[in-house]
Amino acid sequence: MRPLGLGISWRPELALSIERFPRLGFVELMVEHFPSHQPLPQAVLNLLQRGTIAIPHGLSLSLGGAEPPSPSRLREMASLAQRVAAPLVSEHLAFVRSPNWDSGHLMPLERSPAGLQVVLENLQRAQEALPVPLYLENISTLLEWPDPTWDEPEFLSRVVQASGCGILLDLSNLWANCLNHGGDPDRFLSRIPLERIGYVHVGGGLEHDGVYHDTHDAPIPDEVLQLLEELASRVDLPGVLLERDGNYPCEDEFLEEMNRIESALRHGQQRRSS
Amino acid sequence: MSTTRESLARRQDALLEGLLQSGTVAGFDPQRTQMVRRALARKRCRESLASWPGLADRLPDPEGRFLEWARQHPRQRGAGPLEDGFAFCHWLARQGHPLALEIVARHRLLRGRLKSLPPWAVPVRRLWIRLFGP
C-alpha cells in the first residue's frame, strides 16, 4: 500500500479549504453521506482526479452489535470503496443499535469473552463482504461496562490479531479515554500492535462537567499532538488525518491545524532517526 | 441467533433503553449515564435541526422545543436525523407552526429518501392537514 500522507475528513463546509490545500494525501468519506443511488459531489470527484486517495469511513455498521452487520449497509460501504478505488475502509469498534433501539452514536463494547466472540464473528462477515481491508477505530466513551475482562488496549489487540483487521488509531479518543477513565496514553501505545496501524485520527474537543468530550469542533489539544509525536517516534505512520465535524474553521485556522500536525510528525520522525 | 448473541442483545438493549428512555442502567455509573443521556439527546437535536435548514431560524427556542418533543418520542430503530426532524415537523404542524406545516405539506419520506409532492398536490395536502391534522 502506498503511504496516505496527510488527510482530512471530507465535509462540504470545508470543501474549498480541502481542495486548495497543496499537501493533501487523502480524505475520508462518511459512507452514510454518500449513498450509492446518488452521484458523488463534484468537489470529491475533483480530488479523485488529482490522485487524492479516498477512504470510506463507516459510522453505522455496528460491528460489535449482537446482531450481525446488515448486508445492505455492507453493500453500501463496498460500493463506495469500489466507486472511489479505495485501498482500505474503516469503521468503529463499537455498536450503535440493539434489537429495540438506535443510539445514534457510537457505544462501547463489552470487553468480555462474549463481546469478543460476537465482534469476531461480525468482523468475519464484514471482511467477506468488503473488497478491501477493514481497519478498526478505537472510540471515546464516558461509559464503561461493569467488570471488564480486558482493558482497552488488550481488547483492541485481541480483536485485530484474531480478525486480521488493521487499526485506525484515534489518538484523541485514546487520550480522552485515558483522561476520563484513568490510564496512561504512552503505555496504551506500548501495548497494541503498532505495525497494524493504517492511519491515525486527531481532532479536538472540549472539557465539560469535569470530563473531556471528543466533539471534533475545536483545535487539537497540545497533549494529543505530543502523543502523535511520541507515536511517530516509535513507528513510521502511513497516514494522519484531521477530524473536524463542527464549528468549522476559516482557511487560515485550517492551515494552522495542518501545520501543527505536520510539525508534530516531523519532530517524532526526527526523534526516531536520531 | 446463538445464546451468546441473545444474551448480549439483551444487555445492549438494556443499556440503550436506559440511555434513551428510563435514564438508569444497572451496573453503570449513574452520573456518567446521565451525562451520556444528555449528550445523546443534544446530538439528536443538533443533527435533526441541521437536516431541515431554516426550521431552527424561524422557531423560538428550537432546542427546547425539540427536546420537549424528543422526550415523548424516542428515536425509532432505523430512523436518522431526517426522519426525526420530519416527525418533529409533524408535531409542530399540529400546533400550527407555519413553516413546519409547509414542510410536511410539501414532502414525503419514503424509505429514507425525501420526495417532493407535485405542486398541484401541495395546497390539497395543506388544507387536509389544517382540517384533519398530519
Side-chain angles (χ1 to χ4, degrees), chain A residues 37 64-68 95-105 107 110 114 117-118 121-122 142-146 180-181 209 211, chain B residues 1 4-5 8-9 11-13 15-17 19-21 27-29 32-33 35-36 38 40 42-43 47 74-79 113:
Chain A
H37 63 268
E67 55 189 287
F95 81 101
V96 298
R97 70 185 73 81
S98 67
N100 297 299
W101 302 94
D102 214 317
S103 65
H105 193 67
M107 291 288 138
E110 194 186 273
Q117 183 194 328
V118 168
E121 285 171 17
N122 288 349
L142 294 180
L143 288 174
E144 280 258 64
W145 286 83
N180 292 336
H181 302 286
D209 297 336
V211 294
Chain B
M1 217 191 248
T4 308
R5 279 190 187 267
L8 184 65
R11 293 193 295 277
Q12 291 185 339
D13 218 32
L15 173 58
L16 296 193
E17 190 277 335
L19 291 175
L20 300 172
Q21 189 146 305
F28 284 79
D29 180 281
R32 291 281 175 99
T33 304
M35 275 183 196
V36 174
R38 281 195 300 272
L40 287 178
R42 279 196 304 265
K43 183 181 184 208
E47 291 179 347
R75 176 181 271 156
Q76 299 296 304
R77 234 189 87 116
R113 296 190 203 183

Side-chain angles (χ1 to χ4, degrees), chain A residues 247-266:
Chain A
N247 187 21
Y248 290 101
C250 65
E251 194 164 10
D252 284 349
E253 271 176 59
F254 168 77
L255 290 172
E256 174 60 26
E257 284 291 90
M258 292 308 235
N259 284 339
R260 290 173 74 214
I261 294 174
E262 283 179 308
S263 144
L265 272 175
R266 214 170 30 244

Side-chain angles (χ1 to χ4, degrees), chain A residues 136-213:
Chain A
L136 299 173
E137 176 179 354
N138 56 309
I139 66 162
S140 74
T141 172
L142 294 180
L143 288 174
E144 280 258 64
W145 286 83
D147 311 316
T149 313
W150 301 291
D151 64 5
E152 205 193 340
E154 173 77 24
F155 186 74
L156 177 64
S157 303
R158 282 177 184 257
V159 170
V160 294
Q161 301 283 14
S163 66
C165 289
I167 300 177
L168 156 50
L169 190 66
D170 189 312
L171 288 177
S172 302
N173 289 350
L174 189 166
W175 181 72
N177 280 358
C178 287
L179 209 64
N180 292 336
H181 302 286
D184 177 3
D186 284 350
R187 208 172 125 61
F188 192 118
L189 294 182
S190 307
R191 295 185 49 218
I192 57 169
L194 299 180
E195 71 284 358
R196 283 187 179 269
I197 296 177
Y199 62 109
V200 166
H201 273 177
V202 286
L206 52 95
E207 206 162 324
H208 188 65
D209 297 336
V211 294
Y212 183 83
H213 298 261

